[in-house]
Amino acid sequence: VRYRDWRWQALWWHHFFLLWNTIDGQTRYTIPEELKQGSVVGPLAKDLGLGLSEIFDRKLRVASEAGKQYFSVDTGKGELVVNERIDREELCGQRASCVLPLQAVLESPLQLHRIEVEIRDINDNAPIFPSNHLYLKIAESAAVGTRLLLESALDPDVGSNSLKSYTLGKNECFSLKLKEIEGGKTVPELFLEKLLDREQKAVHNILLTALDGGNPVRSGISEITISVLDINDNIPVFEKNVYRVTLPENSAKGTVIIQPKATDMDEGLNGEIEFSFESRTPDTVLNIFDINSLTGEIILKGDLDYETNALYGIDITAKDKGTPEMEGHCRVQVDVIDVNDNAPEIVLNSPPSPVRENAPNGSVVALISARDLDSGDNGKVSLQLPKSSPFSLTPSFSNNYALVTRGALDRENFSVYNIEITATDEGSPPLKSTKTIPVSITDVNDNTPIFSQPSYTVYIKENGIAGSILYSVSASDLDLGDNAKLSYSILDSKVQDVSVSSYVYINSENGSIYSMHSFDYEKLKVFQIQVQAKDHGSPSLSSNATVHVFILDQNDNAPSVIYPSSAVHGSLSQQRTSRSSKAGHLVTKVTAVDADSGHNAWISYRLAEATDASLFAVNLYTGEVRTKRAVSEQDDSSQRLLIEIKDDGDPVRSTTVTVSVLLEDGLHEPILDLRHKTDDSHKKTGRMALYLILSLASVSVLSLVTFLILAVKCLKSSRSSGSCCMRRSDSEDYKNPNRNLQLQLNTDGPIKYVEVLGGDMMSQSQSFRSCLSPTSEYSDFTFVKPSSTTDFKDMINVLDASLPDSTWTFESQQVSIKPGQYTTY
Ligand SMILES: *[C@@H]1O[C@H](CO)[C@@H](O)[C@H](O)[C@H]1NC(C)=O
Ligand SMILES: *[C@@H]1O[C@H](CO)[C@@H](O)[C@H](O)[C@H]1NC(C)=O
Ligand SMILES: *[C@@H]1O[C@H](CO)[C@@H](O)[C@H](O)[C@H]1NC(C)=O
Ligand SMILES: *[C@@H]1O[C@H](CO)[C@@H](O)[C@H](O)[C@H]1NC(C)=O
């Protein structure tokens, strides 16, 4: 453009000097550019002083020195008009004034007039930016005051219509500054007013407007896009500073506990986060937890145990990949929740000590404690004992207990208690454990020795060998050791005024009782020994038992003849009898006694030899010698009879007596000898008879009373049983000492021998009966026999009617007798 301007100017100056000679006046017009074709520029003809006819005649025309003919002359009116659009900017560019020189040419005569047309600028151009969209980049870290050069706008118009100012669209960070460059020109610049933050606004779009000074104002717009370049200026940030997780201690491996989230506002690598544990994380955490570096998930990889570690603090780092890298932190707090995974434990703090069986309530046996590794309710332990246990637990301080006795102990029942203690915690479900504590009970001498029987009954034959074993008693003691070790002894008592220890002794070790004597039934029939068994405890305990020794009769005595008394001396005893005696006449009566008893004393008489066996007969039982027939004159006056007297023992013992009988004429008092003898004894007999009567009377009364009591008892008990038994406790009468009566009678009376036993004798285990034959032949024969050795069933008889009172008549109903029990007939 400049080049063109310059050429155009040169040309113009050449024409100007050429024309200057021919032109006398100068005409100048001013028009705005861009007029329409035909627009009148000025009255050229008039200004040249030409009339209308001259215009045509002289052929007025204009010629442009430039190539283009922008103007022409209207031949009708002689006005200069615009021939072509005129663009000032094209013609004159940025020059301040734009004048087009013209020549008005007149012919005949040739006349040249110089005409100037000044083209005035109008604001027909808007400012224009070289590019309407400008892309810029700026670092996020750019400091305040940073400038960014922008493009200048161009406006071809000149003067006031040219570019005048710029305005910047509204924004926070930038302002517009103009920078002057050479030649007084200015360039717009962006000025950073405030720090940028990509994370807040990554792209700034601003409109730059260029304005000219025309009226109306024209503008040009350029859009500026500024991209803020990221700087790693943001640390990764966790959503929370502290994450809390509760985790049951039995959580499975592989469980994802938590995923802490972190964000980094930067972009690209600056915003890429990698998770890790803090570098100083202890092994206790590393062994149990793992972290996913990409996602940040924390994973359980080990076993949790509330009891070893209930709380974990895990420091997590989130790191971006920028340069320099930036990191953020958070803490994950893992609270392990207790699960009832530990059974309670019972601990024996002191070994159980043996307890005496008489230990009072509350004696301490052992100290125990309970513990549970769990916590809270899971660790609360309670202990239980079986309800029946004679022990209890006394709590002392925190979970410590004393095992104490609570009830009576008995070593004889349980020598060892296995105390089962159950511990239960309060978890859900509760866990249990048991422990058995053996507690041994030590013996206390609390059991007396006990004899195998409360009393013993021993039968021994008389005439035994001294030093032989009478009996062996035995006692037992439930205690242990010395408390059960027994010694036997015999308690001193008198037997027939002699100390019992002179009769027997006892083996203190085993209770065997030895006789020190040979016993004679005829002297001692029964005696009692009190034996004592004593243990070796301290204090010792003892118990007593009674041994009843019954001496059994042996047939060791031959019958001895009492009458005729001379027979004792072996001399002949003379009996006289009258020749006039009839058959059956009592000649004499042989009386013998046997010191033995029972069968051994059951005497029978037999005529062994006789001068005339046909004349006399001896009664087998009474010993009466009677005539068999009437004595005749032919009978020898001196008769000799040999009478054998036998007892019923085994072996039989016998004795003989020789009786000589003198047959005399007219003898009326045949037994003078006897009378004389009986005279003497009559007084005795009288007294004896009186005693006997009194005794019998008293016995009878007693018997009657007894009988009545029995009768009442029998009536009462007959409904339930057929037997009529009377026990010792029922019969007070038998304790009556009056019953301890023994009578022996030797008379011609109906009773020859009566033995009445009672009182203490009767209270022995043996009962005795008095049996009297019902027939007259047996009436004066009495025997006494221990009932247990003989079956008396057949021999039970009724007392002879000759007794003053027959109340002794009882019916036998039961024969077997137990010790300590009576049977009354
Ligand atoms: C011991 O304790 C038990 C149970 O508490 C009770 O029945 C018994 O009477 C007590 N004995 C003594 C001697 O206190
Ligand atoms: C021992 O056992 C007997 C019989 O079984 C019983 O009667 C007694 O009460 C028991 N004693 C103790 C202390 O358990
Ligand atoms: C007791 O001891 C004596 C002597 O050692 C012996 O002869 C006797 O047979 C024993 N008695 C018992 C019941 O063992
Ligand atoms: C045993 O008998 C003796 C002597 O009679 C007496 O002192 C003692 O108390 C009795 N013992 C028993 C347990 O009855």
Side-chain angles (χ1 to χ4, degrees):
V1 171
R2 269 177 209 165
Y3 165 73
R4 224 179 70 187
D5 287 351
W6 182 82
R7 207 188 52 178
W8 206 83
Q9 278 179 346
L11 194 66
W12 189 81
W13 284 111
H14 166 76
H15 281 290
F16 181 76
F17 285 108
L18 196 76
L19 281 169
W20 193 256
N21 298 320
T22 57
I23 296 168
D24 46 357
Q26 198 178 87
T27 309
R28 190 179 177 108
Y29 300 106
T30 301
I31 57 162
E33 62 178 328
E34 308 280 352
L35 285 177
K36 278 187 210 147
Q37 199 179 1
S39 302
V40 177
V41 178
L44 182 63
K46 187 184 164 192
D47 289 340
L48 291 176
L50 300 173
L52 285 174
S53 56
E54 279 180 295
I55 300 167
F56 183 74
D57 295 341
R58 296 182 70 179
K59 293 184 185 171
L60 177 65
R61 54 188 164 93
V62 285
S64 169
E65 286 160 18
K68 267 194 169 173
Q69 295 300 320
Y70 288 106
F71 305 100
S72 62
V73 177
D74 175 11
T75 50
K77 292 175 183 170
E79 289 173 331
L80 189 66
V81 293
V82 175
N83 200 29
E84 212 176 310
R85 189 187 77 91
I86 303 162
D87 184 6
R88 194 204 69 86
E89 284 76 28
E90 195 180 319
L91 286 173
C92 302
Q94 292 294 304
R95 268 176 293 151
S97 77
C98 183
V99 175
L100 278 179
L102 290 175
Q103 285 178 61
V105 182
L106 289 166
E107 287 176 12
S108 34
L110 178 65
Q111 224 181 351
L112 289 178
H113 292 277
R114 191 177 166 79
I115 303 166
E116 282 179 2
V117 178
E118 189 187 2
I119 310 293
R120 256 193 305 119
D121 187 37
I122 63 162
N123 196 18
D124 60 344
N125 285 292
I128 291 177
F129 286 97
S131 53
N132 54 13
H133 203 152
L134 188 64
Y135 292 93
L136 295 175
K137 289 181 179 173
I138 185 168
E140 188 183 1
S141 58
V144 171
T146 304
R147 290 161 187 259
L148 289 177
L149 198 61
L150 300 175
E151 284 177 330
S152 305
L154 289 176
D155 192 332
D157 293 326
V158 292
S160 64
N161 290 336
S162 70
L163 182 68
K164 193 179 172 199
S165 63
Y166 293 96
T167 59
L168 198 59
K170 200 183 168 205
N171 78 95
E172 295 157 0
C173 299
F174 297 96
S175 64
L176 193 67
K177 293 256 153 118
L178 292 175
K179 182 183 173 188
E180 283 196 21
I181 54 169
E182 45 181 315
K185 281 190 169 178
T186 55
V187 227
E189 276 179 338
L190 283 180
F191 182 84
L192 189 60
E193 292 281 351
K194 133 180 182 195
L195 284 175
L196 290 168
D197 187 1
R198 188 202 66 79
E199 286 70 35
Q200 227 170 42
K201 195 157 187 189
V203 175
H204 296 260
N205 283 309
I206 311 172
L207 286 179
L208 181 64
T209 311
L211 298 170
D212 61 17
N215 186 20
V217 174
R218 288 183 156 235
S219 64
I221 292 176
S222 174
E223 191 181 346
I224 304 169
T225 300
I226 306 162
S227 304
V228 182
L229 298 180
D230 187 44
I231 292 288
N232 195 16
D233 58 348
N234 283 287
I235 57 168
V237 176
F238 283 98
E239 286 172 340
K240 293 182 189 174
N241 279 335
V242 177
Y243 292 84
R244 285 179 196 276
V245 195
T246 49
L247 206 59
E249 61 176 323
N250 60 355
S251 299
K253 287 182 192 176
T255 308
V256 175
I257 299 169
I258 196 171
Q259 184 176 12
K261 291 237 167 60
T263 48
D264 188 327
M265 302 221 289
D266 295 324
E267 60 177 2
L269 289 177
N270 292 339
E272 255 180 45
I273 298 176
E274 221 173 23
F275 295 91
S276 63
F277 289 131
E278 179 77 33
S279 57
R280 290 180 304 275
T281 304
D283 283 349
T284 49
V285 170
L286 294 178
N287 291 339
I288 289 178
F289 300 101
D290 217 350
I291 191 164
N292 184 325
S293 64
L294 293 179
T295 61
E297 287 174 339
I298 298 174
I299 299 150
L300 187 66
K301 77 168 178 189
D303 290 317
L304 291 172
D305 185 8
Y306 177 85
E307 286 68 37
T308 47
N309 213 337
L311 184 71
Y312 290 94
I314 311 172
D315 290 314
I316 312 273
T317 303
K319 209 184 265 181
D320 62 27
K321 293 178 180 171
T323 334
E325 58 194 15
M326 303 199 77
E327 47 181 56
H329 303 276
C330 78
R331 190 178 175 84
V332 175
Q333 190 167 313
V334 180
D335 287 307
V336 181
I337 302 174
D338 189 36
V339 169
N340 195 16
D341 57 349
N342 287 288
E345 229 182 311
I346 299 167
V347 184
L348 203 56
N349 293 338
S350 72
S353 46
V355 196
R356 288 166 65 82
E357 57 181 319
N358 63 351
N361 271 3
S363 301
V364 175
V365 179
L367 296 174
I368 59 175
S369 61
R371 64 179 179 214
D372 191 310
L373 292 176
D374 294 321
S375 65
D377 279 352
N378 294 338
K380 277 188 195 157
V381 187
S382 57
L383 297 183
Q384 294 94 33
L385 284 176
K387 284 223 166 56
S388 56
S389 172
F391 295 90
S392 68
L393 288 166
T394 309
S396 54
F397 55 94
S398 65
N399 277 342
N400 279 271
Y401 298 86
L403 181 67
V404 298
T405 57
R406 181 183 68 168
L409 302 172
D410 187 3
R411 189 205 61 80
E412 286 70 37
N413 283 10
F414 297 103
S415 60
V416 174
Y417 281 91
N418 284 313
I419 307 167
E420 195 181 84
I421 303 177
T422 308
T424 315
D425 63 25
E426 287 172 23
S428 139
L431 292 176
K432 269 186 187 186
S433 67
T434 57
K435 190 181 186 82
T436 303
I437 299 178
V439 174
S440 55
I441 309 298
T442 51
D443 189 44
V444 166
N445 193 20
D446 58 351
N447 284 286
T448 50
I450 295 169
F451 277 99
S452 56
Q453 292 168 224
S455 70
Y456 299 87
T457 307
V458 182
Y459 301 104
I460 52 165
K461 288 181 176 171
E462 61 177 330
N463 306 325
I465 306 156
S468 62
I469 292 184
L470 282 188
Y471 198 72
S472 282
V473 293
S474 71
S476 56
D477 192 310
L478 290 172
D479 293 322
L480 199 69
D482 272 356
N483 294 338
K485 196 174 171 194
L486 301 180
S487 316
Y488 299 90
S489 61
I490 288 177
L491 298 175
D492 200 28
S493 61
K494 295 267 196 249
V495 175
Q496 292 184 344
D497 294 334
V498 180
S499 168
V500 74
S501 56
S502 60
Y503 285 88
V504 288
Y505 76 87
I506 194 163
N507 182 327
S508 68
E509 306 268 311
N510 63 12
S512 286
I513 302 171
Y514 298 84
S515 65
M516 292 167 75
H517 270 289
S518 157
F519 295 103
D520 186 359
Y521 173 82
E522 284 71 35
K523 285 180 184 150
L524 181 63
K525 293 184 174 54
V526 65
F527 65 97
Q528 293 148 46
I529 309 167
Q530 291 285 318
V531 289
Q532 186 175 61
K534 192 172 188 177
D535 62 29
H536 289 204
S538 163
S540 65
L541 295 172
S542 65
S543 67
N544 297 346
T546 312
V547 180
H548 299 285
V549 182
F550 289 96
I551 294 152
L552 297 182
D553 184 40
Q554 296 289 100
N555 196 16
D556 59 346
N557 289 290
S560 67
V561 179
I562 297 170
Y563 184 85
S565 57
S566 54
V568 178
H569 312 291
S571 62
L572 216 65
S573 130
Q574 264 217 325
Q575 305 293 330
R576 294 154 196 267
T577 191
S578 164
R579 274 191 186 274
S580 57
S581 300
K582 303 280 183 306
H585 175 76
L586 177 66
V587 178
T588 184
K589 183 174 173 168
V590 176
T591 303
V593 291
D594 195 310
D596 296 323
S597 65
H599 275 267
N600 295 337
W602 193 344
I603 296 166
S604 59
Y605 304 84
R606 189 174 67 86
L607 187 61
E609 279 173 37
T611 314
D612 185 352
S614 64
L615 187 54
F616 296 101
V618 176
N619 184 296
L620 182 62
Y621 301 109
T622 60
E624 283 169 347
V625 179
R626 289 179 190 267
T627 49
K628 266 168 136 179
R629 55 176 169 81
V631 182
S632 69
E633 289 301 318
Q634 288 79 44
D635 288 328
D636 203 341
S637 65
S638 171
Q639 297 281 333
R640 221 175 127 264
L641 306 174
L642 182 70
I643 296 168
E644 188 190 33
I645 304 156
K646 282 197 291 184
D647 60 24
D648 197 28
D650 179 29
V652 173
R653 289 188 180 259
S654 62
T655 187
T656 52
V657 66
T658 307
V659 177
S660 71
V661 179
L662 194 63
L663 301 177
E664 287 177 351
D665 297 321
L667 187 77
H668 300 289
E669 197 61 60
I671 322 167
L672 282 176
D673 232 11
L674 182 68
R675 177 180 287 173
H676 172 73
K677 264 215 141 25
T678 50
D679 252 3
D680 204 24
S681 62
H682 249 302
K683 286 175 197 160
K684 249 191 219 164
T685 311
R687 266 206 317 272
M688 287 298 276
L690 182 66
Y691 292 154
L692 180 63
I693 286 160
L694 282 172
S695 308
L696 284 176
S698 65
V699 165
S700 302
V701 167
L702 277 168
S703 303
L704 182 64
V705 169
T706 309
F707 176 76
L708 285 173
I709 289 167
L710 277 172
V712 169
K713 285 215 174 267
C714 282
L715 272 173
K716 272 185 181 169
S717 63
S718 60
R719 284 176 211 131
S720 52
S721 83
S723 68
C724 183
C725 310
M726 188 162 68
R727 291 178 184 275
R728 174 201 279 251
S729 56
D730 297 331
S731 169
E732 293 296 317
D733 296 312
Y734 283 85
K735 291 189 175 160
N736 191 337
N738 290 339
R739 302 260 315 147
N740 198 353
L741 181 69
Q742 188 166 347
L743 295 175
Q744 287 196 6
L745 202 63
N746 179 19
T747 62
D748 276 347
I751 296 170
K752 270 192 79 177
Y753 185 81
V754 173
E755 195 172 61
V756 179
L757 299 170
D760 285 335
M761 286 300 283
M762 287 300 281
S763 71
Q764 309 308 331
S765 60
Q766 214 164 3
S767 83
F768 296 82
R769 297 186 192 101
S770 293
C771 301
L772 292 145
S773 76
T775 62
S776 66
E777 280 192 330
Y778 291 80
S779 64
D780 47 0
F781 171 73
T782 308
F783 67 87
V784 177
K785 183 92 183 153
S787 65
S788 57
T789 52
T790 314
D791 186 9
F792 279 96
K793 199 146 196 181
D794 303 330
M795 299 172 69
I796 299 305
N797 295 304
V798 181
L799 215 75
D800 191 31
S802 60
L803 279 166
D805 204 317
S806 62
T807 53
W808 282 21
T809 308
F810 299 109
E811 199 65 53
S812 162
Q813 283 179 318
Q814 188 171 335
V815 173
S816 67
I817 294 150
K818 286 173 189 146
Q821 177 183 332
Y822 298 104
T823 305
T824 309
Y825 301 90

